[in-house]
C-alpha cells in the first residue's frame, strides 16, 4: 500500500509536470528509506535468507546510480554517437539489481523454531 501511494504520489505530478522537484531529488531520500524499511521488515528470526544477493543488488544499484548521474545531458557519459550509451548501462545494472532482489526473496527459507535444549 505504501508503494502504491508513493508511486501515485510521485508519478501523477511528474506526468503533469507539476512535481516541485526533480526525480533525482526524489531518489535521494526514498531509496535509502525503502532499503532500510525492507531490511527492518525482513528481519524475522524464523526466516533465513541469503543476504549476499541483497548486497550484490545494492552494489549493482549503487553503480547504476553513478552511471545514471554521469549519463545526463552534458555529463561525461553522455555521448549520443557512442555505441555504448550510459543510460542503457543504467537499465542493465538496474536489471541485475532487480534479479538480485528477486534471488534474495527467493532464498527465504522458513524453518520451524528449533527447540532449545539445555544441558543440565
Amino acid at each position: 500500500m505504501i508503494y502504491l501511494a508513493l508511486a501515485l504520489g510521485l508519478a501523477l505530478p511528474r506526468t503533469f509536470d507539476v512535481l516541485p522537484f526533480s526525480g533525482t531529488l526524489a531518489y535521494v531520500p526514498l531509496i535509502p528509506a525503502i532499503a532500510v524499511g525492507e531490511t527492518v521488515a525482513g528481519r524475522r528470526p524464523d526466516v533465513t535468507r541469503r543476504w549476499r544477493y541483497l548486497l550484490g543488488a545494492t552494489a549493482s544499484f549503487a553503480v547504476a546510480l553513478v552511471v545514471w548521474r554521469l549519463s545526463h545531458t552534458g555529463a561525461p557519459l553522455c555521448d549520443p554517437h557512442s555505441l555504448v550509451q550510459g543510460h542503457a548501462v543504467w537499465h542493465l545494472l538496474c536489471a541485475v539489481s532487480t534479479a538480485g532482489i528477486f534471488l534474495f526473496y527467493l532464498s527465504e527459507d522458513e524453518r520451524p523454531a528449533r527447540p532449545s535444549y539445555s544441558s543440565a
Side-chain angles (χ1 to χ4, degrees):
M1 192 57 144
I2 293 172
Y3 177 80
L4 181 61
L6 283 172
L8 290 175
L10 292 172
L12 289 176
R14 188 75 178 141
T15 301
F16 297 107
D17 204 24
V18 293
L19 192 63
F21 49 85
S22 73
T24 303
L25 290 178
Y27 279 139
V28 172
L30 287 177
I31 290 172
I34 290 170
V36 168
E38 283 291 319
T39 302
V40 169
R43 297 188 63 107
R44 291 181 24 208
D46 60 330
V47 176
T48 59
R49 294 175 184 84
R50 296 187 186 241
W51 289 91
R52 67 177 180 229
Y53 293 128
L54 186 61
L55 292 174
T58 302
S60 175
F61 193 71
V63 173
L65 282 176
V66 171
V67 169
W68 176 66
R69 191 67 192 133
L70 294 174
S71 300
H72 287 187
T73 303
L77 296 181
C78 176
D79 183 3
H81 304 292
S82 172
L83 183 61
V84 178
Q85 295 291 315
H87 194 79
V89 173
W90 147 262
H91 282 285
L92 291 174
L93 287 170
C94 285
V96 169
S97 182
T98 301
I101 292 169
F102 171 75
L103 290 172
F104 172 68
Y105 286 134
L106 188 64
S107 75
E108 289 183 354
D109 188 15
E110 289 189 43
R111 303 274 179 175
R114 294 182 183 163
S116 173
Y117 298 104
S118 61
S119 56

